[in-house]
Amino acid sequence: MTISPSDRWLPALTLTIIVTAAAVSPAAGNPPVSQAAPSAATLLRPARVWTAGEPVHEGWVVLIRGSRIVAVGAAGTARAEAGARVIELPGATLLPGLMDAHSHLFLHPYDETRWDDQVLKEPVPYRTLRAARQARATLLAGFTTLRDLGTEGADFADVSLKRAIEDGLIEGPRLFVATRAIVATGSYGPAPRSLRPDVCCTPQGAEEASGVPEVIRAVREQAGRGADWIKVYADYRWGPGGSQQPTFTEEELKALVETAHSSGRPVAAHATTAEGMRRAILAGVDTIEHGFGATPEVFRLMAARGIAYLPTLTAQEAYGEYFEHYVAGASAPTAGMQQAAEAFRTALRAGVVIGCGSDVGVFAHGTNYRELEWMVRDGMTALQALTAATATDAQILRRGEDLGRVRAGMLADLVAVSGDPTRDIEAVEHVMFVMKDGVVYRGP
């Protein structure tokens, strides 16, 4: 059987095996702090259960012990022992925990503080405290996993934020971090052209590098500091008049990807131009972010090589609101929004693997659901958008074996929303229950 490049993101589904709680030994790992005893089980009773690739299951229940799902099926087939906690979720749809694979916890909306001022004027400790607050808001909104693609001038603080969440010091989603990101010298911000020539040592939004040796060194430093992913800017607004132009050469990008992959780390490439995308694709990156200026040929090349796409549609809406007087529901989409929508539809037609990545931070944390709504408005079905934000993102993050589905053996990252988002995607706004690793963070 021939497997197409896109098949590796969504492996074939197997039948769910329903077991009783007595037949399953306790999952390994620390007991959830919200449960009275290590052996205590939790039985969730929603109106319906949805997971990628399966129909909506009316009347199903989900049994959790420790940090794992141990049984899924019709009421009566999954029995919990005496003393188990039962959580009723009437009228709700239970989903896998939602994911956002392009976020920036160390940014906040630009109508509050412009990007340059955040980088130049807000101290890193202050930004870290704000990021912790924003992480909690994200989790309570039903997003249990984030890939954070760069601290934007906050150095390696995302590594400490991730550790604080893992150690239980603060509440937040499971994080995959990229630390500083890598940019070509003089191409990123705060832009040198906006400063006096004799000003030196200003904070930069990412780590600068030029030439193969510097690129390799930057990858190794960020990996050594704790990056899970390496992010590179394949193009940026450094051309004449601030036009978008490629930054690194193919040789530099190939060296970056080879070094990252040798360390076991995948690579995400910011790319908005067709040429920047082409160079990144040929270099072997794992995901392309934004892609607004892509041609059909570039998207077909992505599809052929199995490179995933994170469209960040909501970021374009936010830019329109802040800088172009766009008012949702009252004005026509901006040129940038139309370009992003057309790129998204072109990627869909080309068969590109599309995950959910919003660029949240540009807009308010905890409103990540806006990306799913835009994906539906711009051409996906509700089922496709939900799959992108669960099973597909899990595969992009190399965690498809234990995240992104409601299935026995998977980690108990679960969200319940009022109504049925498979019929009305706006139901994802109405989160009534959040569980991560078997711990309840938001109850009905």
Side-chain angles (χ1 to χ4, degrees), residues 10 22 107 117 121 275 302 306 370 414 428:
L10 291 173
L107 292 177
D117 287 338
K121 298 178 181 179
E275 177 59 18
M302 280 183 67
R370 292 165 61 183
L414 299 164
V428 295

Side-chain angles (χ1 to χ4, degrees), residues 235-260:
D235 53 29
Y236 206 67
R237 298 186 297 268
W238 75 310
S243 61
Q244 299 273 3
Q245 299 293 339
T247 51
F248 290 108
T249 65
E250 287 187 43
E251 180 186 21
E252 289 170 319
L253 288 171
K254 287 178 180 177
L256 181 147
V257 171
E258 180 180 354
T259 305

Side-chain angles (χ1 to χ4, degrees), residues 78 86 154 371 410 418:
V86 177
E371 186 71 12
M410 307 291 271
S418 298

